[in-house]
mmCIF file of all heavy atoms in Angstrom:
data_model
loop_
_atom_site.group_PDB
_atom_site.id
_atom_site.type_symbol
_atom_site.label_atom_id
_atom_site.label_comp_id
_atom_site.label_asym_id
_atom_site.label_seq_id
_atom_site.Cartn_x
_atom_site.Cartn_y
_atom_site.Cartn_z
ATOM 1 N N ARG Z 152 6.980 7.856 -18.782
ATOM 2 C CA ARG Z 152 6.486 8.601 -17.608
ATOM 3 C C ARG Z 152 7.361 8.229 -16.409
ATOM 4 O O ARG Z 152 6.960 7.482 -15.513
ATOM 5 C CB ARG Z 152 5.015 8.275 -17.358
ATOM 6 C CG ARG Z 152 4.125 8.615 -18.541
ATOM 7 C CD ARG Z 152 2.678 8.224 -18.293
ATOM 8 N NE ARG Z 152 1.899 8.361 -19.515
ATOM 9 C CZ ARG Z 152 1.360 9.496 -19.942
ATOM 10 N NH1 ARG Z 152 1.505 10.603 -19.224
ATOM 11 N NH2 ARG Z 152 0.682 9.530 -21.064
ATOM 12 N N LEU Z 153 8.563 8.780 -16.415
ATOM 13 C CA LEU Z 153 9.581 8.353 -15.453
ATOM 14 C C LEU Z 153 9.269 8.804 -14.031
ATOM 15 O O LEU Z 153 9.520 8.074 -13.066
ATOM 16 C CB LEU Z 153 10.948 8.877 -15.891
ATOM 17 C CG LEU Z 153 11.393 8.412 -17.288
ATOM 18 C CD1 LEU Z 153 12.711 9.058 -17.672
ATOM 19 C CD2 LEU Z 153 11.515 6.891 -17.326
ATOM 20 N N ARG Z 154 8.736 10.000 -13.887
ATOM 21 C CA ARG Z 154 8.397 10.471 -12.538
ATOM 22 C C ARG Z 154 7.309 9.606 -11.925
ATOM 23 O O ARG Z 154 7.376 9.245 -10.735
ATOM 24 C CB ARG Z 154 7.939 11.933 -12.597
ATOM 25 C CG ARG Z 154 7.631 12.534 -11.226
ATOM 26 C CD ARG Z 154 7.254 13.997 -11.334
ATOM 27 N NE ARG Z 154 8.343 14.776 -11.916
ATOM 28 C CZ ARG Z 154 8.254 16.082 -12.162
ATOM 29 N NH1 ARG Z 154 7.141 16.736 -11.885
ATOM 30 N NH2 ARG Z 154 9.281 16.720 -12.687
ATOM 31 N N LEU Z 155 6.308 9.256 -12.731
ATOM 32 C CA LEU Z 155 5.249 8.388 -12.244
ATOM 33 C C LEU Z 155 5.800 7.010 -11.886
ATOM 34 O O LEU Z 155 5.414 6.417 -10.878
ATOM 35 C CB LEU Z 155 4.159 8.262 -13.316
ATOM 36 C CG LEU Z 155 2.993 7.325 -12.996
ATOM 37 C CD1 LEU Z 155 2.244 7.801 -11.757
ATOM 38 C CD2 LEU Z 155 2.038 7.231 -14.188
ATOM 39 N N SER Z 156 6.707 6.505 -12.709
ATOM 40 C CA SER Z 156 7.307 5.200 -12.431
ATOM 41 C C SER Z 156 8.063 5.220 -11.110
ATOM 42 O O SER Z 156 7.976 4.276 -10.314
ATOM 43 C CB SER Z 156 8.260 4.814 -13.564
ATOM 44 O OG SER Z 156 7.566 4.639 -14.775
ATOM 45 N N ARG Z 157 8.792 6.298 -10.880
ATOM 46 C CA ARG Z 157 9.574 6.396 -9.637
ATOM 47 C C ARG Z 157 8.653 6.385 -8.420
ATOM 48 O O ARG Z 157 8.883 5.642 -7.451
ATOM 49 C CB ARG Z 157 10.406 7.681 -9.658
ATOM 50 C CG ARG Z 157 11.245 7.900 -8.409
ATOM 51 C CD ARG Z 157 11.852 9.295 -8.425
ATOM 52 N NE ARG Z 157 12.637 9.563 -7.238
ATOM 53 C CZ ARG Z 157 13.080 10.778 -6.897
ATOM 54 N NH1 ARG Z 157 12.823 11.819 -7.673
ATOM 55 N NH2 ARG Z 157 13.778 10.938 -5.787
ATOM 56 N N VAL Z 158 7.606 7.184 -8.470
ATOM 57 C CA VAL Z 158 6.671 7.249 -7.344
ATOM 58 C C VAL Z 158 5.982 5.900 -7.152
ATOM 59 O O VAL Z 158 5.842 5.416 -6.024
ATOM 60 C CB VAL Z 158 5.622 8.363 -7.578
ATOM 61 C CG1 VAL Z 158 4.534 8.306 -6.512
ATOM 62 C CG2 VAL Z 158 6.296 9.728 -7.577
ATOM 63 N N TYR Z 159 5.557 5.294 -8.228
ATOM 64 C CA TYR Z 159 4.870 4.011 -8.157
ATOM 65 C C TYR Z 159 5.747 2.958 -7.494
ATOM 66 O O TYR Z 159 5.289 2.221 -6.603
ATOM 67 C CB TYR Z 159 4.484 3.559 -9.569
ATOM 68 C CG TYR Z 159 3.887 2.170 -9.629
ATOM 69 C CD1 TYR Z 159 2.517 1.971 -9.492
ATOM 70 C CD2 TYR Z 159 4.694 1.051 -9.837
ATOM 71 C CE1 TYR Z 159 1.968 0.692 -9.540
ATOM 72 C CE2 TYR Z 159 4.159 -0.224 -9.883
ATOM 73 C CZ TYR Z 159 2.798 -0.398 -9.734
ATOM 74 O OH TYR Z 159 2.272 -1.662 -9.776
ATOM 75 N N LEU Z 160 6.999 2.866 -7.905
ATOM 76 C CA LEU Z 160 7.886 1.834 -7.372
ATOM 77 C C LEU Z 160 8.141 2.035 -5.879
ATOM 78 O O LEU Z 160 8.129 1.075 -5.100
ATOM 79 C CB LEU Z 160 9.202 1.832 -8.146
ATOM 80 C CG LEU Z 160 9.097 1.352 -9.604
ATOM 81 C CD1 LEU Z 160 10.405 1.621 -10.343
ATOM 82 C CD2 LEU Z 160 8.738 -0.126 -9.666
ATOM 83 N N ILE Z 161 8.368 3.275 -5.462
ATOM 84 C CA ILE Z 161 8.645 3.534 -4.047
ATOM 85 C C ILE Z 161 7.410 3.261 -3.197
ATOM 86 O O ILE Z 161 7.473 2.589 -2.156
ATOM 87 C CB ILE Z 161 9.126 4.982 -3.844
ATOM 88 C CG1 ILE Z 161 10.485 5.191 -4.522
ATOM 89 C CG2 ILE Z 161 9.217 5.320 -2.361
ATOM 90 C CD1 ILE Z 161 10.974 6.618 -4.490
ATOM 91 N N VAL Z 162 6.256 3.776 -3.634
ATOM 92 C CA VAL Z 162 5.027 3.618 -2.857
ATOM 93 C C VAL Z 162 4.643 2.152 -2.724
ATOM 94 O O VAL Z 162 4.266 1.687 -1.644
ATOM 95 C CB VAL Z 162 3.878 4.424 -3.498
ATOM 96 C CG1 VAL Z 162 2.541 4.075 -2.845
ATOM 97 C CG2 VAL Z 162 4.146 5.916 -3.367
ATOM 98 N N THR Z 163 4.747 1.392 -3.818
ATOM 99 C CA THR Z 163 4.349 -0.015 -3.747
ATOM 100 C C THR Z 163 5.321 -0.842 -2.905
ATOM 101 O O THR Z 163 4.903 -1.803 -2.246
ATOM 102 C CB THR Z 163 4.232 -0.622 -5.154
ATOM 103 O OG1 THR Z 163 5.457 -0.410 -5.892
ATOM 104 C CG2 THR Z 163 3.080 0.018 -5.915
ATOM 105 N N MET Z 164 6.603 -0.470 -2.890
ATOM 106 C CA MET Z 164 7.545 -1.163 -2.016
ATOM 107 C C MET Z 164 7.159 -0.976 -0.551
ATOM 108 O O MET Z 164 7.113 -1.934 0.229
ATOM 109 C CB MET Z 164 8.966 -0.649 -2.236
ATOM 110 C CG MET Z 164 9.659 -1.154 -3.483
ATOM 111 S SD MET Z 164 11.375 -0.578 -3.598
ATOM 112 C CE MET Z 164 12.171 -1.608 -2.371
ATOM 113 N N VAL Z 165 6.876 0.265 -0.181
ATOM 114 C CA VAL Z 165 6.512 0.561 1.207
ATOM 115 C C VAL Z 165 5.177 -0.101 1.553
ATOM 116 O O VAL Z 165 5.022 -0.715 2.618
ATOM 117 C CB VAL Z 165 6.443 2.080 1.429
ATOM 118 C CG1 VAL Z 165 5.930 2.400 2.832
ATOM 119 C CG2 VAL Z 165 7.816 2.715 1.211
ATOM 120 N N PHE Z 166 4.214 0.011 0.656
ATOM 121 C CA PHE Z 166 2.880 -0.551 0.914
ATOM 122 C C PHE Z 166 2.954 -2.063 1.101
ATOM 123 O O PHE Z 166 2.316 -2.624 2.016
ATOM 124 C CB PHE Z 166 1.945 -0.211 -0.244
ATOM 125 C CG PHE Z 166 0.567 -0.822 -0.109
ATOM 126 C CD1 PHE Z 166 -0.404 -0.195 0.645
ATOM 127 C CD2 PHE Z 166 0.251 -2.016 -0.736
ATOM 128 C CE1 PHE Z 166 -1.665 -0.758 0.782
ATOM 129 C CE2 PHE Z 166 -1.002 -2.585 -0.609
ATOM 130 C CZ PHE Z 166 -1.966 -1.953 0.153
ATOM 131 N N SER Z 167 3.704 -2.737 0.248
ATOM 132 C CA SER Z 167 3.776 -4.199 0.305
ATOM 133 C C SER Z 167 4.294 -4.690 1.650
ATOM 134 O O SER Z 167 3.867 -5.734 2.146
ATOM 135 C CB SER Z 167 4.674 -4.729 -0.824
ATOM 136 O OG SER Z 167 4.144 -4.401 -2.087
ATOM 137 N N LEU Z 168 5.205 -3.926 2.259
ATOM 138 C CA LEU Z 168 5.800 -4.364 3.511
ATOM 139 C C LEU Z 168 4.984 -3.961 4.738
ATOM 140 O O LEU Z 168 5.116 -4.582 5.798
ATOM 141 C CB LEU Z 168 7.214 -3.801 3.637
ATOM 142 C CG LEU Z 168 8.236 -4.313 2.624
ATOM 143 C CD1 LEU Z 168 9.580 -3.657 2.851
ATOM 144 C CD2 LEU Z 168 8.370 -5.820 2.702
ATOM 145 N N THR Z 169 4.151 -2.940 4.601
ATOM 146 C CA THR Z 169 3.459 -2.423 5.781
ATOM 147 C C THR Z 169 1.999 -2.835 5.884
ATOM 148 O O THR Z 169 1.475 -2.988 6.988
ATOM 149 C CB THR Z 169 3.532 -0.887 5.817
ATOM 150 O OG1 THR Z 169 2.992 -0.356 4.583
ATOM 151 C CG2 THR Z 169 4.972 -0.422 5.959
ATOM 152 N N TYR Z 170 1.325 -3.059 4.741
ATOM 153 C CA TYR Z 170 -0.121 -3.284 4.830
ATOM 154 C C TYR Z 170 -0.486 -4.557 5.600
ATOM 155 O O TYR Z 170 -1.541 -4.582 6.276
ATOM 156 C CB TYR Z 170 -0.745 -3.301 3.427
ATOM 157 C CG TYR Z 170 -0.839 -4.661 2.799
ATOM 158 C CD1 TYR Z 170 -1.994 -5.439 2.932
ATOM 159 C CD2 TYR Z 170 0.232 -5.201 2.087
ATOM 160 C CE1 TYR Z 170 -2.071 -6.699 2.371
ATOM 161 C CE2 TYR Z 170 0.153 -6.459 1.530
ATOM 162 C CZ TYR Z 170 -1.001 -7.204 1.667
ATOM 163 O OH TYR Z 170 -1.080 -8.450 1.119
ATOM 164 N N PRO Z 171 0.320 -5.655 5.552
ATOM 165 C CA PRO Z 171 -0.103 -6.829 6.336
ATOM 166 C C PRO Z 171 -0.085 -6.584 7.838
ATOM 167 O O PRO Z 171 -0.642 -7.378 8.599
ATOM 168 C CB PRO Z 171 0.935 -7.902 5.947
ATOM 169 C CG PRO Z 171 1.502 -7.451 4.650
ATOM 170 C CD PRO Z 171 1.522 -5.955 4.760
ATOM 171 N N LEU Z 172 0.570 -5.505 8.286
ATOM 172 C CA LEU Z 172 0.657 -5.210 9.713
ATOM 173 C C LEU Z 172 -0.464 -4.304 10.183
ATOM 174 O O LEU Z 172 -0.610 -4.069 11.387
ATOM 175 C CB LEU Z 172 2.004 -4.548 10.031
ATOM 176 C CG LEU Z 172 3.253 -5.337 9.621
ATOM 177 C CD1 LEU Z 172 4.502 -4.523 9.912
ATOM 178 C CD2 LEU Z 172 3.306 -6.680 10.329
ATOM 179 N N VAL Z 173 -1.263 -3.785 9.235
ATOM 180 C CA VAL Z 173 -2.346 -2.872 9.587
ATOM 181 C C VAL Z 173 -3.463 -3.650 10.255
ATOM 182 O O VAL Z 173 -3.839 -4.739 9.801
ATOM 183 C CB VAL Z 173 -2.884 -2.152 8.332
ATOM 184 C CG1 VAL Z 173 -4.104 -1.299 8.679
ATOM 185 C CG2 VAL Z 173 -1.795 -1.289 7.713
ATOM 186 N N ARG Z 174 -3.993 -3.101 11.319
ATOM 187 C CA ARG Z 174 -5.122 -3.737 11.997
ATOM 188 C C ARG Z 174 -6.402 -3.095 11.493
ATOM 189 O O ARG Z 174 -6.627 -1.905 11.669
ATOM 190 C CB ARG Z 174 -5.017 -3.585 13.517
ATOM 191 C CG ARG Z 174 -3.891 -4.425 14.111
ATOM 192 C CD ARG Z 174 -3.919 -4.398 15.629
ATOM 193 N NE ARG Z 174 -2.949 -5.321 16.181
ATOM 194 C CZ ARG Z 174 -3.208 -6.586 16.453
ATOM 195 N NH1 ARG Z 174 -4.405 -7.075 16.212
ATOM 196 N NH2 ARG Z 174 -2.279 -7.364 16.961
ATOM 197 N N MET Z 175 -7.239 -3.908 10.862
ATOM 198 C CA MET Z 175 -8.491 -3.412 10.291
ATOM 199 C C MET Z 175 -9.665 -3.847 11.160
ATOM 200 O O MET Z 175 -9.832 -5.038 11.417
ATOM 201 C CB MET Z 175 -8.667 -3.954 8.873
ATOM 202 C CG MET Z 175 -9.959 -3.498 8.203
ATOM 203 S SD MET Z 175 -10.111 -4.162 6.520
ATOM 204 C CE MET Z 175 -8.786 -3.283 5.714
ATOM 205 N N PRO Z 176 -10.495 -2.879 11.622
ATOM 206 C CA PRO Z 176 -11.651 -3.265 12.426
ATOM 207 C C PRO Z 176 -12.555 -4.210 11.652
ATOM 208 O O PRO Z 176 -12.799 -4.023 10.470
ATOM 209 C CB PRO Z 176 -12.356 -1.926 12.700
ATOM 210 C CG PRO Z 176 -11.296 -0.901 12.508
ATOM 211 C CD PRO Z 176 -10.387 -1.440 11.444
ATOM 212 N N GLU Z 177 -13.020 -5.229 12.336
ATOM 213 C CA GLU Z 177 -13.908 -6.201 11.708
ATOM 214 C C GLU Z 177 -15.336 -5.724 11.834
ATOM 215 O O GLU Z 177 -15.813 -5.376 12.900
ATOM 216 C CB GLU Z 177 -13.751 -7.554 12.393
ATOM 217 C CG GLU Z 177 -14.551 -8.633 11.737
ATOM 218 C CD GLU Z 177 -13.675 -9.855 11.504
ATOM 219 O OE1 GLU Z 177 -12.468 -9.767 11.727
ATOM 220 O OE2 GLU Z 177 -14.225 -10.878 11.120
ATOM 221 N N THR Z 178 -16.033 -5.673 10.703
ATOM 222 C CA THR Z 178 -17.410 -5.200 10.695
ATOM 223 C C THR Z 178 -18.307 -6.200 11.406
ATOM 224 O O THR Z 178 -18.203 -7.400 11.194
ATOM 225 C CB THR Z 178 -17.897 -5.020 9.253
ATOM 226 O OG1 THR Z 178 -16.997 -4.159 8.581
ATOM 227 C CG2 THR Z 178 -19.301 -4.442 9.222
ATOM 228 N N LEU Z 179 -19.171 -5.692 12.240
ATOM 229 C CA LEU Z 179 -20.102 -6.583 12.929
ATOM 230 C C LEU Z 179 -21.015 -7.244 11.923
ATOM 231 O O LEU Z 179 -21.472 -6.633 10.964
ATOM 232 C CB LEU Z 179 -20.934 -5.786 13.937
ATOM 233 C CG LEU Z 179 -20.163 -5.236 15.138
ATOM 234 C CD1 LEU Z 179 -21.113 -4.475 16.041
ATOM 235 C CD2 LEU Z 179 -19.479 -6.349 15.897
ATOM 236 N N VAL Z 180 -21.268 -8.506 12.143
ATOM 237 C CA VAL Z 180 -22.123 -9.252 11.230
ATOM 238 C C VAL Z 180 -23.541 -8.727 11.332
ATOM 239 O O VAL Z 180 -24.113 -8.642 12.416
ATOM 240 C CB VAL Z 180 -22.096 -10.757 11.581
ATOM 241 C CG1 VAL Z 180 -22.980 -11.545 10.631
ATOM 242 C CG2 VAL Z 180 -20.671 -11.270 11.558
ATOM 243 N N SER Z 181 -24.103 -8.345 10.204
ATOM 244 C CA SER Z 181 -25.467 -7.828 10.193
ATOM 245 C C SER Z 181 -26.448 -8.976 10.335
ATOM 246 O O SER Z 181 -26.216 -10.092 9.887
ATOM 247 C CB SER Z 181 -25.732 -7.074 8.889
ATOM 248 O OG SER Z 181 -25.553 -7.945 7.792
#
């Protein structure tokens, strides 16, 4: 499944480098 492999490799490369920079709202403690 070469097309899937290509998409997977590109997406995970980008995700790995960008997700630690995402600011996620902290849920208020219930």
Side-chain angles (χ1 to χ4, degrees):
R152 301 177 189 276
L153 301 176
R154 183 177 300 178
L155 177 61
S156 296
R157 179 189 179 192
V158 172
Y159 174 89
L160 291 170
I161 294 174
V162 170
T163 54
M164 283 184 74
V165 174
F166 176 84
S167 298
L168 294 179
T169 56
Y170 92 93
L172 303 176
V173 174
R174 290 187 173 270
M175 179 180 292
E177 184 131 352
T178 305
L179 292 180
V180 180
S181 60

